[in-house]
Amino acid sequence: MRSKHLCQFVVLGSKGDEYRIRFDLDNGVLFTTCTCQAGPNGSYCKHRVSLLTGGVSDLASKNSHELALILPHLAGSRLKVALDEFTEAAEIHDTAKRRLDKAKKKLTDAMFNNRVADG
């Protein structure tokens, strides 16, 4: 089996730059590339993750319906397992960050209130 192009999207980066995200099948395995700085370097790319998790808020192209072409190839794949692990870790991180922010506020309040009460 050879490489097959599934679809391509244009997304807007955080600074308004346009990036192209492409989804291809290579011997039945889903691959994705992005033209952002992280993409060609094999680094984490938030644009691809956003599309893979159904995020379309930064989508500049008008083909969000083509995301459905990806789903059958994502199910049960190594990419899906890694994406699920990432999503779970991100949720744990976000929860921990909110908890830490609350704890910092409580600590700051306690330090300030102790100073006022001692003064």
Side-chain angles (χ1 to χ4, degrees), residues 6 9 22 25 33 38 42 45 49 51-53 59 66 75-76 79 94-95 103:
L6 287 177
F9 302 92
R22 182 179 165 121
L25 283 179
T33 57
C45 169
V49 171
L51 282 179
L52 286 166
T53 56
L59 193 60
E66 290 185 23
L79 178 56
D94 292 346
T95 299

Side-chain angles (χ1 to χ4, degrees), residues 28-30 70-82 84:
V29 177
L30 183 64
I70 299 165
L71 298 177
H73 305 287
L74 187 59
S77 70
R78 182 173 156 232
L79 178 56
K80 176 67 170 148
V81 170
D84 288 348

Side-chain angles (χ1 to χ4, degrees), residues 10-104:
V10 177
V11 296
L12 292 177
S14 55
K15 295 180 182 171
D17 296 329
E18 286 190 353
Y19 301 114
R20 297 195 183 293
I21 300 173
R22 182 179 165 121
F23 290 90
D24 297 290
L25 283 179
D26 190 8
N27 290 321
V29 177
L30 183 64
F31 285 93
T32 178
T33 57
C34 182
T35 59
C36 73
Q37 289 180 347
N41 296 323
S43 300
Y44 167 79
C45 169
K46 64 185 178 183
H47 311 110
R48 289 182 280 180
V49 171
S50 179
L51 282 179
L52 286 166
T53 56
V56 294
S57 60
D58 296 329
L59 193 60
S61 53
K62 305 293 184 202
N63 60 335
S64 62
H65 62 280
E66 290 185 23
L67 284 170
L69 298 172
I70 299 165
L71 298 177
H73 305 287
L74 187 59
S77 70
R78 182 173 156 232
L79 178 56
K80 176 67 170 148
V81 170
L83 185 63
D84 288 348
E85 185 177 330
F86 170 83
T87 302
E88 180 183 351
E91 289 171 5
I92 291 168
H93 173 269
D94 292 346
T95 299
K97 173 114 175 57
R98 285 190 299 275
R99 185 174 173 207
L100 179 60
D101 289 346
K102 283 182 185 180
K104 282 180 182 179

